[in-house]
């Protein structure tokens, strides 16, 4: 390019708007949802967003399926809580606001050590190794009560050290805003990562690891560095966890937690950057609200996950973006009746399945409470045949109608996609 | 990228052998490619051309023998080590990054050669040299119109062009192209060959080709690989008249028939 | 000495059980490229189904029926769920098996409760097969059954160790099953087709063989094998909803240590880990105790004391994972691994 050319890069207004919206939501949320339950959930969501985004760095951006990510967030949490105790005892002078960084550094250190071994392999073998390493750390937690606190875990007090600007982190709202700041900063940093050489090469490694080697990059190195960075952010989430709950037990490094990260990140959508944010919100909603609502929540979760993998492997984010694409071409209006039909029949099926599952659970687990069961305000007699027959009939009709509306939807969707393709061709020809 | 050694040879194969189990695929191949030369590697199907490429580029290690690049032994090295020493290869089946655009594909191939390593503290958009080089390569392979198209949405010929682009983007001095024009129509091939000639100006090129028109138009010398051995390595004219080559392609009976026919024609004409 | 021998046999029989599981996993993986995360869920189903069936029909009918049932369920899962996901790639395939493991766990917990069930070794197979007695002054002696009260009684002062019949039965079933599998794969026509489809499914299909059906059969067969392992293992060890997860991790370690895709490697690794886990539980030595016996005891205040005081028996649960880490550092290909990934 000669010196006479003028290069103009406009500001990406859309991106600025989205980030501002994100910041505003983080700021304003506790004002809108003021109950203490909401506060609990909002703080947990902030933490979950960071850890799910860090997980997607491996899964969605790197194609690395890890079954042991909780090791890094969990060990970060333990490091943070021990540091917090030291601060409380007056031995170390780390400000409470920087404790999550300690967690991050711990997560980074563990990722440097364990990542060297884990990233030696890729694909399925990598997945198995992360499972094994996760089990290793979990089992060690039982053998080293000095660090892991044994059965009761390690507890602490976050109102320690000298408060800066009068912030003691005693009230929950102060902790929320600490988490919100970390959440925003970490999200920005992790997004920025996707625009760096390492981030782009990580994508290349995901798409075609073999070719990467022929353009000069060591695939294993790329994965290892990404693993370290993901471990760092997971550790920060762990540190926030320690500050928030003031107690850390061994289950934070356990396989269930790792599985939850996987499940919800995938559910939210691993193909788009914001997918894990959706997943994190769902994670908290499910573990706090859904678990209270029904004893069968894990079963529902597993079934939803199965259906997602089979029919929408891009997660909720990809479903959203597909519709955004359709809307961008101005054709979303054509689909709303089909969507309505689909939603209505799906709801029917859902209700029918839920009734059956809840009745089974009631019979099995709540025998002492008698055969009467309340479902969304309606009393059902689990021993009588009425409820069962009714639910079966509802299920049968629901499934039948769903199939009909699904076929119609697929037809309409196909038409819309065809029209979009035609429009793309037309625009290219211009 | 690397200095040419005093003997002027960019790439040398010395008695390279490769066995898979008990089957020897490459049985002692010898080749000495001069710097800046364009060599076509031809041979019947199954002769081992792709295997040879795999050995040179580091995808596999030879069972024995030496491969020397710019005077340095590279046999046994990993593909990225060889690439960093100035050798790049393309693939017979386009081997691109399916979720990235044309531009992104090429930029990835540029990064290492421009000194970017595993940097996560710089933005791609600020790497002016990298971006400039990527745009340059984009123009060289004439894919500017499709700059931001996802590579899976390209036509076959366009994908082959990007494949070549990814190969040369790193500025390697020794380029290996594996059947770059396979599956293209006549007109597509002609344009493609012109593009290849332009982008490999001044570089050493080794290309596997089946299209004889391309071979005779592009190559300074032709190497003929049969059953894992280089049976001829000479100018196109000499190779065309080489008996062993004719026998390899046409079979000894047919070659004899040819000779007999030629004699009969001579006798009839006389 | 006699305890060593009996422990050795115990370790071998546990290792054979592990191999029953890891061989099915390896076959499914080699054939279909799918890592069946739910493989040990089928193991769990085998144990629970056998428990339910044995209550109604007795142990030996359950021994045949339960694996069949598990195999049918596995084949159905392949047909209706896994196959759909195949087009999306290997990660979604692994995820769908992961989802299945979740669902199976919940259903098992729902139907049979979260505590362990009383799935017992049948009467006919309980009791000792033989007893090894270390008789003072005479050395080792092999006694049938429970041995001799005169030799093994407390007054006699000899040490005796019993080897249970059931362990022998387990080993027998495992060997029989694996032997049949080997014969099936190498000596029958269907085995030939399976071997061909293992590396070249498209070519095999082009030759007219119904490869999808073969794959369904292989998947179902692998699950049935896991179910059989559950039938014979569930009553020797504990039958509870957590059994799938705990054995699952070990099986993955076996497969990686043995070398991905290598049956012989899985065999070796299974026996190795079986022996390690069996023996480790009884070794009460720790680094601290070793140092003590060498004359330089470690004090309680030493910074590494928490680590040094851990005995080998306490470390038993993590030894397989330590082996995994060591193999990855020193021999990443696995013991007998050959396949490049």
């Amino acid at each position: 390019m000669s010196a006479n050319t003028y290069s103009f890069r406009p500001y990406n207004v859309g991106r600025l708007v989205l980030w501002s919206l994100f910041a505003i939501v983080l700021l304003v949320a506790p004002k809108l949802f003021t109950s203490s339950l909401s506060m609990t959930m909002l703080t947990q969501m902030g933490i979950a967003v960071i850890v799910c985004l860090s997980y997607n760095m491996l899964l969605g951006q790197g194609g690395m399926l890890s079954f042991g990510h909780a090791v890094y967030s969990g060990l970060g949490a333990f490091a943070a809580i021990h540091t917090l105790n030291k601060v409380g005892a007056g031995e170390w002078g780390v400000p409470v606001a920087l404790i999550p960084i300690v967690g991050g550094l711990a997560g980074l250190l563990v990722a440097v050590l364990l990542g060297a071994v884990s990233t030696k392999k890729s694909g399925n073998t990598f997945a198995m190794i992360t499972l094994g390493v996760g089990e290793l750390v979990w089992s060690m937690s039982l053998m080293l009560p000095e660090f892991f606190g044994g059965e009761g875990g390690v507890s602490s007090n976050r109102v320690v050290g000298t408060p800066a600007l009068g912030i003691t982190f005693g009230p929950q709202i102060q902790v929320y805003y600490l988490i919100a700041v970390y959440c925003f900063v970490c999200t920005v940093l992790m997004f920025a990562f996707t625009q760096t050489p390492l981030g782009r090469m990580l994508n290349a490694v995901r798409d075609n690891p073999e070719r990467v080697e022929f353009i000069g990059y060591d695939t294993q190195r790329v994965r290892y560095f990404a693993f370290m960075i993901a471990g760092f952010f997971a550790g920060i989430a762990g540190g926030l966890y320690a500050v928030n709950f003031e107690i850390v037990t061994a289950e934070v490094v356990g396989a269930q937690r790792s599985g939850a990260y996987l499940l919800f990140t995938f559910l939210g959508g691993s193909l788009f950057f914001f997918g894990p944010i959706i997943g994190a919100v769902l994670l908290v909603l499910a573990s706090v609200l859904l678990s209270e609502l029904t004893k069968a929540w894990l079963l529902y979760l597993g079934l939803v996950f199965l259906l997602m993998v089979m029919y929408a492997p891009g997660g909720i984010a990809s479903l959203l973006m597909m519709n955004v694409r359709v809307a961008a071409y101005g054709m979303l209006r054509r689909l709303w009746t089909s969507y309505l039909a689909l939603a209505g029949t799906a709801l029917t099926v859902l209700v029918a399945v839920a009734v059956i599952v809840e009745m089974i659970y009631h019979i099995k687990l709540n025998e002492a409470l008698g055969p009467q069961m309340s479902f969304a305000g309606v009393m059902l007699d689990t021993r009588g045949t009425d409820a069962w027959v009714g639910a079966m009939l509802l299920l049968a009709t629901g499934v039948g109608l769903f199939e009909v509306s699904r076929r119609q939807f697929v037809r309409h969707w196909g038409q819309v996609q065809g029209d979009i393709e035609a429009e793309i061709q037309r625009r290219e020809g211009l | 990228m690397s200095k040419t050694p005093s003997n002027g040879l960019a790439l040398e194969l010395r008695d390279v052998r490769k066995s898979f189990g008990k089957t020897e695929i490459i049985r002692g191949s010898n080749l000495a490619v001069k710097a800046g030369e364009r060599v076509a590697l031809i041979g019947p199907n199954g002769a081992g051309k792709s295997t040879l490429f795999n050995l040179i580029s580091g995808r596999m290690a030879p069972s024995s023998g030496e491969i020397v690049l710019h005077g340095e032994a590279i046999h046994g090295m990993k593909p990225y080590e060889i690439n960093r020493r100035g050798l790049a290869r393309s693939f017979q089946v386009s081997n691109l990054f399916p979720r990235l655009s044309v531009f992104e594909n090429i930029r990835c191939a540029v990064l290492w050669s421009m000194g970017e390593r595993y940097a996560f503290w710089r933005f791609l958009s600020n790497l002016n040299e990298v971006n400039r080089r990527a745009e340059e390569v984009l123009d060289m392979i004439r894919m500017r119109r499709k700059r931001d198209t996802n590579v899976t949405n390209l036509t076959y010929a366009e994908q082959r062009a990007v494949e070549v682009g990814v190969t040369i983007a790193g500025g390697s001095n020794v380029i290996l192209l594996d059947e770059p024009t396979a599956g293209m129509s006549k007109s597509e091939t002609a344009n493609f060959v012109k593009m290849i000639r332009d982008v490999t100006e001044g570089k050493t090129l080794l290309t596997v080709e089946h299209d004889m028109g391309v071979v005779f138009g592009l190559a300074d010398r032709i190497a003929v690989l049969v059953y894992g051995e280089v049976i001829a390595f000479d100018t196109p004219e000499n190779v065309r008249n080489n008996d062993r080559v004719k026998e390899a392609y046409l079979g000894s009976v047919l070659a004899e028939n040819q000779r007999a026919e030629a004699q009969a024609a001579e006798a009839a004409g006389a | 000495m006699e305890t060593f021998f009996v422990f050795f046999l115990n370790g071998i029989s546990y290792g054979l059980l592990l191999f029953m599981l890891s061989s099915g996993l390896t076959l499914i993986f080699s054939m279909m490229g799918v890592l069946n995360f739910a493989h040990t869920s089928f193991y769990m189903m085998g144990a629970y189904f056998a428990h339910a069936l044995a209550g109604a029909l007795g142990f030996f009918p359950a021994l045949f029926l339960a694996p069949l049932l598990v195999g049918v369920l596995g084949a159905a899962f392949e047909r209706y769920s896994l196959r759909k996901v195949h087009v999306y790639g290997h990660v979604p395939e692994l995820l769908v098996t992961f989802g299945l493991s979740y669902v199976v766990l919940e259903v098992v917990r729902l139907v049979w409760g979260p505590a362990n069930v009383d799935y017992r070794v049948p009467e006919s197979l309980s009791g000792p097969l033989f007893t090894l007695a270390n008789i003072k002054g005479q050395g080792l002696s092999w006694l049938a059954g429970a041995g001799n009260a005169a030799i093994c009684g407390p007054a006699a002062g000899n040490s005796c160790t019993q080897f249970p019949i059931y362990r022998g039965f387990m080993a027998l079933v495992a060997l029989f099953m694996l032997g049949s599998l080997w014969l099936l794969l190498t000596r029958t026509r269907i085995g030939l087709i399976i071997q061909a489809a293992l590396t070249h499914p498209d070519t095999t299909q082009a030759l007219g063989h119904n490869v999808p059906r073969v794959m369904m059969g292989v998947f179902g067969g692998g699950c049935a094998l896991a179910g059989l392992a559950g039938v014979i293992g569930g009553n020797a060890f504990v039958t509870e909803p957590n059994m799938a997860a705990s054995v699952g991790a070990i099986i993955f370690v076996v497969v990686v240590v043995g070398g991905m895709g290598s049956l012989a490697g899985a065999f070796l690794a299974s026996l190795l880990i079986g022996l390690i886990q069996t023996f480790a539980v009884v070794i009460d030595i720790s680094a601290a105790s070793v140092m003590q016996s060498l004359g330089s005891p470690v004090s309680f205040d030493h910074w590494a004391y928490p680590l040094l005081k851990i005995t080998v028996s306490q470390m038993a649960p993590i030894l397989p994972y330590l082996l995994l880490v060591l193999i990855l550092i020193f021999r990443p290909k696995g013991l007998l691994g050959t396949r490049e990934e």
Side-chain angles (χ1 to χ4, degrees):
Chain A
M1 266 186 216
S2 72
N4 290 336
T5 54
Y6 174 69
S7 56
F8 169 69
R9 213 188 307 150
Y11 284 120
N12 194 333
V13 178
R15 205 176 265 184
L16 271 169
V17 167
L18 281 172
W19 285 110
S20 312
L21 266 174
F22 183 51
I24 291 173
V25 165
L26 284 174
L27 269 172
V28 160
K31 304 278 195 275
L32 292 175
F33 305 100
T34 49
S35 71
S36 72
L37 178 66
S38 309
M39 194 46 43
T40 314
M41 290 206 292
L42 284 173
T43 45
Q44 287 187 45
M45 281 181 197
I47 299 173
V49 164
I50 300 177
V51 83
C52 284
L53 280 173
S54 80
Y55 185 72
N56 204 36
M57 208 183 274
L58 298 176
L59 178 65
Q61 292 169 35
M64 300 190 266
L65 182 56
S66 164
F67 284 115
H69 200 61
V71 164
Y72 307 95
S73 63
L75 288 177
F78 273 108
I81 205 148
H82 282 300
T83 312
L84 202 56
N85 278 333
K86 291 257 199 257
V87 172
E91 290 177 42
W92 290 357
V94 181
V96 174
L98 293 183
I99 293 280
I101 306 272
V102 173
L105 292 172
L108 177 65
L109 182 64
V110 178
V112 167
L113 292 171
L114 295 178
V117 156
S118 308
T119 56
K120 267 187 191 281
K121 295 281 180 168
S122 63
N124 285 325
T125 317
F126 170 79
M128 289 194 281
I129 295 169
T130 54
L131 187 73
V133 167
E135 286 292 316
L136 176 67
V137 174
W138 160 256
S139 303
M140 293 213 68
S141 72
L142 302 168
M143 296 183 331
L144 288 174
E146 294 79 6
F147 185 74
F148 290 95
E151 285 274 328
V154 181
S155 38
S156 183
N157 182 5
R158 66 175 179 246
V159 186
V160 290
T162 44
L165 304 172
I167 300 174
T168 59
F169 293 116
Q172 184 69 22
I173 187 81
Q174 290 183 356
V175 178
Y176 169 78
Y177 277 111
L178 177 72
I179 292 176
V181 167
Y182 270 100
C183 180
F184 187 76
V185 171
C186 289
T187 309
V188 168
L189 288 177
M190 283 193 264
F191 183 76
F193 172 78
T194 64
Q195 312 295 312
T196 62
L198 183 61
R200 197 47 45 90
M201 288 315 295
L202 183 64
N203 290 338
V205 165
R206 169 198 65 196
D207 289 349
N208 194 344
E210 190 188 35
R211 194 61 201 276
V212 168
E213 302 246 316
F214 289 97
I215 57 175
Y217 272 92
D218 183 349
T219 322
Q220 204 180 323
R221 266 285 144 91
V222 173
R223 289 196 181 114
Y224 187 27
F225 285 131
F227 198 83
M228 287 191 234
I229 296 175
F232 173 69
F233 284 108
I236 290 188
L240 288 169
Y241 178 98
V243 169
N244 184 42
F245 289 104
E246 295 176 301
I247 180 168
V248 179
T249 53
E251 56 97 22
V252 296
V253 297
Q256 286 94 326
R257 193 167 283 257
S258 293
Y261 294 161
L262 165 61
L263 200 137
F264 284 101
T265 305
F266 188 82
L267 213 59
S270 60
L271 297 178
F272 290 94
F273 179 78
F274 66 92
I277 299 181
I278 299 177
V281 170
L282 288 176
L283 190 157
V284 176
L285 286 176
S287 43
V288 175
L289 287 181
L290 191 62
S291 58
E292 287 298 311
L293 204 58
T294 161
K295 284 216 173 62
W297 69 289
L298 281 171
L299 180 63
Y300 290 135
L301 214 53
L303 287 171
V304 168
F305 181 74
L306 263 179
L307 289 172
M308 265 299 191
V309 178
M310 287 183 357
Y311 297 109
I316 293 176
S318 76
L319 291 175
L320 271 174
M321 290 307 282
M322 280 199 276
N323 285 295
V324 165
R325 181 172 178 261
V326 169
Y329 283 93
M331 300 187 193
L332 196 58
R333 202 173 318 146
R334 286 161 53 176
L335 290 170
W336 76 274
T337 41
S338 308
Y339 266 128
L340 215 59
L342 208 63
T345 51
L347 195 63
T348 321
V349 174
L350 193 68
V351 168
V353 169
V355 167
I356 295 173
V357 169
E358 292 301 325
M359 286 204 290
I360 297 177
Y361 266 80
H362 184 88
I363 294 176
K364 270 286 170 179
L365 299 175
N366 291 344
E367 275 186 70
L369 297 177
Q372 294 288 340
M373 181 190 94
S374 163
F375 183 86
V378 176
M379 288 305 284
L380 296 169
D381 184 0
T382 55
R383 206 165 294 169
T385 46
D386 292 353
W388 289 97
V389 171
M392 295 289 187
L393 278 175
L394 195 63
L395 183 65
T397 36
V399 168
L401 287 174
F402 180 78
E403 189 56 26
V404 166
S405 62
R406 188 190 70 87
R407 293 202 185 173
Q408 196 208 23
F409 177 79
V410 167
R411 218 178 22 245
H412 281 170
W413 182 265
Q415 281 171 355
V416 166
Q417 293 300 319
D419 290 345
I420 291 179
E421 291 296 317
E423 179 63 20
I424 294 177
Q425 299 281 21
R426 188 187 73 86
R427 287 185 191 179
E428 256 185 29
L430 288 171
Chain B
M1 203 164 268
S2 299
K3 301 190 292 292
T4 318
S6 51
N7 60 6
L9 293 174
L11 182 66
E12 272 184 271
L13 271 66
R14 300 181 192 152
D15 196 36
V16 171
R17 290 176 188 274
K18 178 66 181 174
S19 307
F20 293 101
K22 293 214 183 80
T23 322
E24 199 176 25
I25 301 292
I26 306 291
R27 308 150 176 243
S29 286
N30 289 288
L31 202 63
V33 180
K34 300 203 200 78
E37 195 176 18
R38 289 204 181 99
V39 175
L41 184 63
I42 68 174
N45 280 324
K49 302 187 291 296
S50 284
T51 311
L52 209 60
F53 263 33
N54 286 338
L55 291 173
I56 299 173
S57 62
R59 203 181 193 186
M60 304 171 191
S63 307
S64 72
E66 293 173 347
I67 304 177
V68 179
L69 176 72
H70 294 131
E72 188 184 356
I74 58 166
H75 48 274
M77 281 191 187
K78 290 242 166 88
Y80 58 86
E81 290 171 314
I82 296 178
N83 177 261
R84 291 175 194 171
R85 283 165 172 75
L87 185 145
R89 69 161 294 181
S90 76
F91 288 82
Q92 195 175 340
V93 177
S94 294
N95 212 2
L96 303 169
F97 301 113
R99 279 166 58 180
L100 301 178
S101 68
V102 171
F103 179 72
E104 294 279 7
N105 263 271
I106 294 175
R107 183 160 61 177
C108 283
V110 171
L111 282 173
W112 189 275
S113 62
M114 288 277 169
E116 292 304 321
R117 298 289 179 256
Y118 303 97
F120 55 90
W121 50 86
R122 270 197 282 274
F123 285 140
L124 283 166
S125 45
N126 291 339
L127 303 175
N128 292 324
E129 287 298 311
V130 168
N131 289 325
R132 199 155 54 77
R133 168 78 182 154
E135 300 282 0
E136 207 181 299
V137 173
L138 197 63
D139 287 324
M140 281 202 266
I141 59 171
R142 296 150 203 184
M143 288 293 293
R144 174 144 296 280
R145 278 199 72 208
K146 298 283 177 110
R147 179 187 188 275
D148 295 314
T149 316
N150 186 292
V151 290
T152 52
N153 291 335
L154 299 174
T155 67
Y156 177 77
E158 288 170 333
Q159 282 181 351
R160 297 304 284 154
V162 178
E163 177 71 29
V164 171
V166 169
T167 308
I168 60 148
S172 301
N173 274 330
V174 179
I175 307 283
L176 269 55
L177 296 180
D178 197 345
E179 298 198 41
T181 63
M184 287 190 194
S185 66
K186 268 266 180 291
S187 59
E188 281 173 338
T189 306
N191 286 333
F192 211 75
V193 170
K194 185 168 185 317
M195 185 265 282
I196 290 178
R197 206 181 288 125
D198 290 340
V199 303
T200 56
E201 196 61 52
K203 302 200 197 289
T204 312
L205 174 66
L206 179 60
T207 169
V208 170
E209 231 348 301
H210 282 300
D211 186 331
M212 284 308 152
V214 171
V215 170
F216 285 113
L218 188 59
D220 298 327
R221 279 203 285 175
I222 300 179
V224 185
L225 191 71
V226 176
Y227 280 127
E229 270 184 85
V230 178
I231 62 167
F233 186 35
D234 214 330
T235 61
E237 271 312 305
N238 292 344
V239 165
R240 195 185 237 150
N241 295 323
N242 186 310
D243 276 341
R244 280 188 74 190
V245 173
K246 280 199 273 197
E247 204 168 300
Y249 268 97
L250 305 172
S252 52
V253 174
L254 281 167
E256 271 179 42
N257 283 350
Q258 247 198 348
R259 251 176 261 139
E261 272 177 28
Q263 282 174 342
E266 238 183 67
Chain C
M1 186 62 205
E2 69 293 350
T3 39
F4 177 85
F5 191 65
V6 169
F7 267 59
F8 182 78
L9 289 178
N10 277 342
I12 295 284
S13 68
Y14 178 52
L16 283 173
L17 191 76
L18 289 179
F19 184 53
M20 277 183 80
L21 284 167
S22 56
S23 62
L25 190 69
T26 304
L27 274 175
I28 293 175
F29 176 75
S30 301
M31 170 80 114
M32 303 161 73
V34 179
L35 183 62
N36 185 9
F37 196 87
H39 199 71
T40 45
S41 303
F42 291 104
Y43 166 75
M44 178 165 72
M45 278 199 269
Y48 273 96
F49 285 166
H51 166 68
L53 288 172
L57 303 170
F59 178 74
F60 287 96
L63 184 67
F64 287 104
L65 286 176
L68 276 173
L69 200 56
V70 173
V72 164
L73 286 174
F77 173 72
E78 197 280 334
R79 171 77 180 74
Y80 294 111
S81 191
L82 196 57
R83 204 177 286 189
K84 241 189 251 303
V85 174
H86 183 70
V87 287
Y88 296 138
H90 285 319
V91 169
E93 279 176 327
L94 178 53
L95 288 175
V96 87
T97 58
F98 174 73
L100 181 70
S101 71
Y102 238 84
V103 171
V104 168
L105 178 64
E106 278 310 301
V107 171
V108 162
R109 226 198 288 216
L110 173 67
V111 174
W112 281 284
N116 53 356
V117 284
D118 192 18
Y119 176 39
R120 280 204 225 120
V121 175
E123 278 303 312
S124 49
L125 292 173
S126 47
L129 181 63
F130 61 83
T131 311
L132 272 184
N134 195 351
I135 306 178
K136 276 201 300 229
Q138 274 184 20
L140 286 179
S141 165
W142 188 89
L143 305 162
N148 195 319
I151 301 179
C152 289
N158 302 320
S159 70
C160 298
T161 321
Q162 298 180 331
F163 182 70
I165 298 179
Y166 196 70
R167 286 282 184 147
F169 175 71
M170 270 172 64
L172 209 67
V173 170
L175 286 169
F176 174 73
M177 204 57 234
L178 294 165
S180 329
L181 189 70
W182 184 78
L183 282 173
L184 177 82
L185 282 179
T186 54
R187 297 270 189 272
T188 64
R189 200 170 151 272
I190 187 73
L192 195 64
I193 298 172
I194 291 175
Q195 283 196 60
L198 230 132
T199 43
H200 296 86
D202 293 325
T203 317
T204 316
Q205 202 163 4
L207 289 172
H209 299 292
N210 191 343
V211 171
R213 198 188 303 163
V214 170
M215 290 201 173
M216 186 170 83
V218 168
F219 193 84
C223 294
L225 202 61
L228 180 64
V231 172
I232 61 176
N235 49 13
F237 308 109
V238 68
T239 300
E240 46 140 17
N242 204 30
M243 64 196 284
S246 51
V247 181
I250 307 257
I251 296 300
F252 284 172
V253 169
V254 165
V255 171
V256 175
V257 166
M260 288 299 288
S262 164
L263 275 173
F267 183 69
L268 206 61
S270 304
L271 291 183
L272 186 64
I273 290 180
L275 287 169
I276 289 177
Q277 285 208 289
T278 310
F279 275 106
V281 185
V282 289
I283 301 179
D284 272 320
I285 310 172
S286 69
S289 64
V290 166
M291 289 171 79
Q292 182 135 26
S293 60
L294 286 177
S296 55
V298 181
S299 90
F300 187 73
D301 303 321
H302 192 271
W303 68 270
Y305 185 72
L307 277 173
L308 295 173
K309 77 164 181 1
I310 301 175
T311 62
V312 174
S313 56
Q314 284 175 318
M315 287 213 301
I318 68 160
L319 286 174
Y321 310 114
L322 278 180
L323 181 64
L324 173 72
V325 171
L326 286 172
I327 284 279
L328 284 171
I329 297 176
F330 296 108
R331 202 185 153 84
K333 218 169 27 164
L335 290 174
L336 295 177
T338 47
R339 289 161 61 103
E340 282 298 336
E341 266 197 273

